[in-house]
Amino acid sequence: MGDVVNLNRFRKQKAKEERAAKAAENRVVHGRTKAERTAEQKRHDSQTADLDGKKLEPADQDD
């Protein structure tokens, strides 16, 4: 004879495992650490400042 299983508890446990698996998958796909986001923002700000510093201003021409 097999063990008695509470089907409601079994369904809840299965759903919980599926949510955990989906969360792990999303962390891999979308997740970045705070350090990575901060480093990317600093790199972007630096590049923007560097590019803005190299812009040529149009010469004012008096007619």
Side-chain angles (χ1 to χ4, degrees):
M1 187 181 280
D3 293 331
V4 176
V5 178
N6 185 334
L7 294 179
N8 194 30
R9 187 177 294 161
F10 178 76
R11 280 193 294 265
K12 286 183 179 182
Q13 182 64 30
K14 184 178 179 188
K16 184 177 180 181
E17 290 171 358
E18 288 174 357
R19 286 193 308 270
K22 180 69 174 170
E25 181 180 325
N26 285 340
R27 281 192 298 271
V28 169
V29 173
H30 300 287
R32 291 191 305 167
T33 64
K34 186 173 183 177
E36 290 172 334
R37 288 192 307 265
T38 304
E40 179 66 28
Q41 185 64 39
K42 284 182 181 180
R43 186 172 27 256
H44 181 266
D45 292 345
S46 174
Q47 288 176 346
T48 303
D50 189 36
L51 195 61
D52 287 344
K54 293 180 180 180
K55 279 187 179 177
L56 297 177
E57 298 294 326
D60 288 334
Q61 296 179 1
D62 292 330
D63 289 331

